[in-house]
Amino acid sequence: MPPTNTNFVRRYGVAVVAVIVAVAVRLVLDQFLENWFPLATTVMAVAFVAASVGTAPAWVTLVLGALAVDFLIMEPRFSLRIAEEQDVLRLLLYAAGGGVLIGLFEQLRTERQRAESNIVQSEERFRQLADAMPQIVWTALPAGEIDYLNRQWFEYTGLPQSIGNKGWAKILHPADAPLTRPRWAESLRSGTPFQLEVRLLQHKTQDYRWHLMRTVAIRDSEGNITHWFGTATDIDEQKRAEEASRYLAEASAALAAVVDYESTLQKVANLAVPYFADWCAVDMLNDDGTLRRLVVAHHDPAKIDYVHQLQREYPSDPQAPMGAYAVLRSGKPQMLSDISDELIVRSAKDARHVELIRALGLKSFLCVPLVVSGKVVGVFIFATADSGRRYNDADMALAMNLASRAAVALENGELLQALRESDRRKDEFLATLAHELRNPLAPISNALEILKMPQADALTRERSRDMMERQVNLLVRLVDDLLDVSRVMAGKIELRLECVALASIVARAVEMVQTLVDGHAHVLDVQLPDETLAVDAD
């Protein structure tokens, strides 16, 4: 039988049964009431039917009840004839009263249906609004049992919207669960809002993303909690941007403290592990165009040796389309968000190579160039393994930023080394120049003493003046060199070479010390070869 027919029979069957029960009860009470209130139980039957199954069956109850009472209870019994006027009045009052009752119940039913319709429409609007929101939205009963999850929940988690509280245990990061549960229990106990940043598992990527969870209580007019309303807003990009900014600030501070070439690169690798990568390696360009693995970083030293062994047994192919050499050639970064086993097998050289790569447990890969003074001098290699992290475009931007800061640190280190070298050359230059400045002063002083002697003849005086003139010219040249800042910074003294007879150089040297020799009553014997010996000298 169709549901509509079944419902019809049920409703009007209730009306018939109600009349039968009402009349039966009245017959039982007949010995006490006699002819008093013959329609009392039937009125109650009308009210019951109107309240339970509707007004149409109630009208049937009203009519059937009047006929049954008239036939079975009113005198003359077993006849529908009305003998007394008071019975007519009773039936009229019964009909009027029953009609009023049916009208009241009809109004109540209409208002209830309108209220239920409003509630259904309100819930439908809420669900439409919740499904349109980008956040995960849910509602929970006062005790915390979730009774609704929006469409975004299903799209993010892949779990049914009817899963309830069990769903959170499946997607909440294990490290966040110990803090989340007591906080939520406290909110349920006190009625205070719940707010916490947690990581939730995304079923499509199998990555955990940061969400801001917030749940507030919905209260009635008396302040009692009727529901909880909660949202989970994806803040992963914001969270990672904040962490990246903090990380880069720490990296810049750490890089500013190192000036050594290898120490700088080792510092970068150590900073990347474990914040940004599980593995970090730095390959530097050799003069012959090959790459030399300079640095490897991992929290387990044994695995670092393992990587060096792998590199020795299976060095990188310079012509490979992917990897360090490809980045070195193009100067552009490369990224593999997901390293599949198929890719490992395809890129390995033999079965042992496959086994060694698999042992690393690599999940994702990034390789960025190290550019110093506009030239690619090496590459940074970042990889994830145990953490399960998958790199994305934001991670590539972070890696490029880190490489750029490392390049600045290397350039600053080279500039500092150059400055130190310049200072060293300048110091050597000034020391040499100071020594050279002292040399001409001694013969000039000797010549002045000779000129003071009254017994000095004209030839001696002439020779002394010539010597002073030569030494003054030398002093002028040395002072010119001192004033030439470029030569001071370069640490070079300009030599003016010319072809000079060795005998004349010796004669000038003797001339410079002759007065000192004579003052101590020494004899200076100089022997020169007969032939002329020429040298290029200053």
Side-chain angles (χ1 to χ4, degrees):
M1 185 177 291
T4 54
N5 293 338
T6 301
N7 186 47
F8 176 85
V9 172
R10 182 185 66 81
R11 293 174 65 210
Y12 287 94
V14 169
V16 172
V17 172
V19 171
I20 294 172
V21 172
V23 172
V25 172
R26 182 62 182 80
L27 288 173
V28 172
L29 297 176
D30 190 52
Q31 57 181 327
F32 304 105
L33 299 177
E34 295 182 353
N35 203 31
W36 294 93
F37 312 112
L39 295 163
T41 55
T42 311
V43 170
M44 288 187 284
V46 171
F48 169 76
V49 173
S52 59
V53 294
T55 56
W59 285 110
V60 174
T61 304
L62 182 68
V63 173
L64 290 178
L67 294 174
V69 169
D70 183 30
F71 185 77
L72 297 174
I73 298 175
M74 290 182 180
E75 296 294 341
R77 297 192 178 192
F78 308 110
S79 172
L80 295 176
R81 185 172 58 86
I82 302 174
E84 299 181 8
E85 292 183 2
Q86 62 179 0
D87 291 338
V88 175
L89 180 61
R90 286 171 180 168
L91 289 172
L92 291 175
L93 290 175
Y94 165 74
V100 170
L101 280 175
I102 293 173
L104 289 175
F105 278 106
E106 177 65 22
Q107 184 177 357
L108 290 174
R109 180 181 294 276
T110 301
E111 292 179 355
R112 184 176 64 183
Q113 290 177 345
R114 184 183 299 114
E116 291 175 350
S117 176
N118 290 337
I119 292 174
V120 170
Q121 292 178 7
S122 177
E123 290 181 351
E124 183 63 25
R125 285 195 297 268
F126 166 76
R127 292 174 185 271
Q128 290 176 355
L129 177 62
D131 286 340
M133 294 177 66
Q135 296 95 340
I136 296 174
V137 177
W138 69 90
T139 59
L141 299 175
E145 297 88 359
I146 292 176
D147 59 353
Y148 169 73
L149 289 158
N150 72 337
R151 185 179 302 147
Q152 185 66 21
W153 162 272
F154 171 74
E155 292 178 355
Y156 183 84
T157 67
L159 299 174
Q161 293 168 254
S162 59
I163 194 169
N165 296 63
K166 295 182 295 183
W168 292 107
K170 297 178 180 294
I171 66 169
L172 189 62
H173 194 285
D176 297 334
L179 179 62
T180 305
R181 293 191 182 98
R183 291 278 293 274
W184 176 229
E186 174 61 22
S187 293
L188 291 175
R189 185 191 65 80
S190 62
T192 56
F194 171 87
Q195 181 169 314
L196 191 65
E197 293 179 357
V198 297
R199 286 160 289 183
L200 303 179
L201 181 65
Q202 187 178 39
H203 80 101
K204 292 181 180 178
T205 62
Q206 289 300 298
D207 289 333
Y208 284 95
R209 293 181 65 84
W210 282 100
H211 284 72
L212 173 62
M213 290 182 60
R214 180 171 173 80
T215 310
V216 295
I218 301 174
R219 303 176 184 271
D220 58 19
S221 58
E222 297 179 358
N224 299 316
I225 297 177
T226 61
H227 253 86
W228 290 89
F229 178 79
T231 60
T233 304
D234 191 323
I235 58 169
D236 194 74
E237 300 299 333
Q238 173 186 343
K239 190 79 173 178
R240 292 187 185 277
E242 292 174 356
E243 292 179 351
S245 297
R246 183 166 55 251
Y247 168 70
L248 289 175
E250 294 175 357
S252 296
L255 291 174
V258 295
V259 295
D260 179 71
Y261 184 81
E262 293 194 13
S263 298
T264 299
L265 299 176
Q266 185 67 59
K267 176 67 71 173
V268 173
N270 292 340
L271 287 169
V273 176
Y275 166 76
F276 183 66
D278 298 319
W279 291 94
C280 181
V282 183
D283 292 351
M284 299 303 295
L285 181 64
N286 294 321
D287 293 338
D288 60 358
T290 60
L291 285 172
R292 173 173 54 98
R293 179 140 296 172
L294 187 65
V295 172
V296 176
H298 191 273
H299 66 84
D300 185 356
K303 291 190 175 183
I304 294 177
D305 295 337
Y306 184 86
V307 170
H308 285 303
Q309 176 188 353
L310 178 63
Q311 182 67 17
R312 286 193 299 269
E313 292 187 24
Y314 296 95
S316 301
D317 180 6
Q319 303 304 320
M322 191 75 185
Y325 277 103
V327 173
L328 187 69
R329 292 193 304 269
S330 66
K332 297 179 180 180
Q334 289 185 348
M335 177 176 68
L336 284 175
S337 297
D338 184 44
I339 301 177
S340 63
D341 190 69
E342 179 184 355
L343 177 63
I344 293 175
V345 173
R346 189 168 63 248
S347 59
K349 298 178 180 178
D350 52 37
R352 172 169 169 75
H353 197 194
V354 171
E355 181 182 350
L356 292 175
I357 298 176
R358 282 175 176 169
L360 295 176
L362 301 179
K363 297 292 189 299
S364 197
F365 165 84
L366 255 179
C367 186
V368 298
L370 176 61
V371 182
V372 178
S373 301
K375 180 181 178 183
V376 180
V377 299
V379 294
F380 284 104
I381 302 171
F382 305 97
T384 62
D386 300 338
S387 66
R389 176 174 181 169
R390 261 71 174 183
Y391 287 133
N392 53 30
D393 291 340
D395 295 320
M396 179 181 287
L398 176 60
M400 290 293 291
N401 197 327
L402 182 62
S404 176
R405 294 176 188 238
V408 171
L410 289 177
E411 289 177 341
N412 290 341
E414 291 178 354
L415 290 174
L416 182 59
Q417 293 295 337
L419 181 60
R420 289 176 176 175
E421 179 64 19
S422 176
D423 287 342
R424 183 190 64 78
R425 291 196 301 266
K426 180 179 66 176
D427 291 341
E428 291 179 354
F429 170 78
L430 292 176
T432 303
L433 193 60
H435 176 74
E436 294 298 326
L437 284 172
R438 285 195 298 268
N439 287 339
L441 295 178
I444 291 174
S445 178
N446 292 337
L448 289 174
E449 292 296 327
I450 292 173
L451 292 175
K452 291 179 181 179
M453 295 178 180
Q455 67 273 23
D457 56 22
L459 180 59
T460 301
R461 290 175 179 273
E462 183 64 24
R463 290 172 57 191
S464 298
R465 282 194 296 271
D466 291 343
M467 180 182 64
M468 290 176 62
E469 184 177 358
R470 287 193 301 272
Q471 298 304 325
V472 167
N473 289 335
L474 178 58
L475 279 174
V476 170
R477 284 184 53 198
L478 293 174
V479 171
D480 287 341
D481 285 343
L482 183 61
L483 294 176
D484 190 339
V485 178
S486 63
R487 283 206 294 273
V488 172
M489 297 303 295
K492 296 180 180 179
I493 297 176
E494 182 182 2
L495 297 179
R496 300 176 184 175
L497 301 179
E498 58 183 24
C499 185
V500 184
L502 183 60
S504 65
I505 297 175
V506 174
R508 293 179 185 178
V510 172
E511 185 180 69
M512 292 173 63
V513 300
Q514 188 62 53
T515 304
L516 188 62
V517 172
D518 295 342
H520 288 79
H522 291 171
V523 175
L524 177 61
D525 182 23
V526 179
Q527 296 181 4
L528 296 174
D530 295 333
E531 66 273 14
T532 300
L533 298 177
V535 295
D536 286 331
D538 184 337

